[in-house]
Amino acid sequence: MTEIRPRRSVLAMPGSNPRLLEKARTLPADVVMIDLEDGVAPDTRAATREAVARAVAEGGFGSREVVVRINALDTPYGEADLAAIAPAGPDAIVVPKVTGADALVAVGSRLRRLGAPDRTRTWAMIESPMAILHLAEIASSARDVDTRLACLMVGPNDLAKASRLRLGVPGRPALMPWLMSVIAAARAYEIDAVDGIYNDFRDATGFAAECAQGRDCGFDGKMLIHPDQIAPANAAFGPNADEVACARRILAAFAEPKNRNRGVIGLDGKMVERLHAAEAARTVALADAIAARTA
């Protein structure tokens, strides 16, 4: 099994707000995503990237994963963003507007040259029809170790703008085929997938419903825009106590000498296959990783 990293809650915040960056060090989000792209005014980008590089290098974020969204390399800001942030050693660089593997190859090749530590990964933002058409190519670049690709993250607002679909409809019917395509690509190449933002952070009921939908679709977590969304996202995308207890019973049952060579067993009145044991092992590993993070 590959390393399990909880990514239930990915809190986005503009790199131009020092107060929010300091607050992020205390919030229970699994991932802090510091934004140098959409959330930063063009005339403040140079100062912001230097401030963000210092904050990342200083650390103090505890067990939280720290990722930085840069501007695309084909903009006037992308190369400078990457040159400043890579040596600071974030957990990942979030690459926006990805439409094919070439953008990830370009970022990955620069990371080593710029002195980024080996642990620094890349995440790809899926936010255009072209990205949807090239999902297999994008996700398959994870097989190239130089791209360092670890996660796909959906950008629903950009997708909606580019495709003229309407957001805000309960259940996201227009977006669902594309969301499931992201899941299929991520699972095919064994990387994570993070669902996109819910725009109305005051609508707790709607947010909870969308988290439940994303979880049931197979997403590992959700991108957030407000600290109030952290707790419900963590609850939705993490296994609950009953799920963990059931998973441990499945693993214990298959570990019994009489069952070690069996493909199917009976447990609690149900048929349980080896594939359920693999799912149970991941559930327990995720629960243990969450517990270690919050300890």
Side-chain angles (χ1 to χ4, degrees):
M1 183 186 298
T2 57
E3 179 189 11
I4 300 292
R5 298 202 70 166
R7 288 167 176 153
R8 301 165 296 170
S9 48
V10 180
L11 180 63
M13 56 182 55
S16 54
N17 191 321
R19 183 183 62 83
L20 288 181
L21 288 182
E22 187 60 34
K23 185 177 181 180
R25 292 179 165 93
T26 68
L27 295 172
D30 287 338
V31 184
V32 174
M33 190 187 90
I34 306 173
D35 191 19
L36 295 178
E37 194 205 21
D38 292 343
V40 180
D43 60 348
T44 67
R45 280 179 172 156
T48 295
R49 77 167 63 96
E50 298 305 323
V52 169
R54 286 194 300 271
V56 173
E58 288 168 3
F61 291 90
S63 60
R64 299 162 192 83
E65 204 170 353
V66 179
V67 306
V68 179
R69 180 165 66 176
I70 63 170
N71 287 274
L73 294 186
D74 61 358
T75 69
Y77 315 102
E79 292 283 3
D81 287 349
L82 195 57
I85 300 301
D91 291 294
I93 297 291
V94 181
V95 186
K97 310 294 190 294
V98 172
T99 58
D102 55 341
L104 301 172
V105 171
V107 171
S109 67
R110 286 162 172 77
L111 287 176
R112 189 175 303 279
R113 176 168 52 82
L114 291 168
D118 289 341
R119 63 177 176 78
T120 297
R121 305 287 93 192
T122 61
W123 292 19
M125 290 292 303
I126 305 301
E127 46 193 343
S128 71
M130 189 65 73
I132 297 297
L133 291 176
H134 291 167
L135 273 170
E137 172 197 335
I138 293 167
S140 69
S141 69
R143 297 281 174 87
D144 179 352
V145 295
D146 289 332
T147 69
R148 308 188 184 197
L149 182 63
C151 185
L152 304 179
M153 186 155 58
V154 178
N157 288 330
D158 287 285
L159 266 173
K161 178 183 176 182
S163 60
R164 303 176 193 166
L165 67 81
R166 293 188 178 184
L167 296 178
V169 180
R172 301 185 286 182
L175 202 57
M176 282 305 298
W178 292 354
L179 295 178
M180 295 312 302
S181 294
V182 171
I183 290 294
R187 298 297 167 255
Y189 293 98
E190 300 179 311
I191 56 178
D192 280 353
V194 172
D195 198 359
I197 65 171
Y198 186 78
N199 289 312
D200 188 355
F201 64 84
R202 292 174 294 269
D203 179 9
T205 300
F207 178 72
E210 195 163 289
C211 281
Q213 181 196 46
R215 174 202 62 213
D216 292 347
C217 287
F219 282 100
D220 297 288
K222 193 163 183 66
M223 183 177 170
L224 315 178
I225 57 173
H226 195 279
D228 288 348
Q229 296 176 323
I230 297 173
N234 284 348
F237 289 97
N240 62 41
D242 289 342
E243 290 169 333
V244 176
C246 178
R248 293 191 189 279
R249 287 199 304 276
I250 290 173
L251 294 179
F254 272 106
E256 293 179 12
K258 64 179 181 180
N259 294 329
R260 286 177 181 168
N261 295 319
R262 292 184 177 179
V264 181
I265 63 173
L267 182 66
D268 299 335
K270 299 178 181 179
M271 182 186 74
V272 181
E273 300 179 67
R274 282 282 171 186
L275 65 88
H276 297 122
E279 293 173 357
R282 190 185 189 284
T283 296
V284 170
L286 178 59
D288 288 347
I290 292 169
R293 174 161 290 187
T294 57

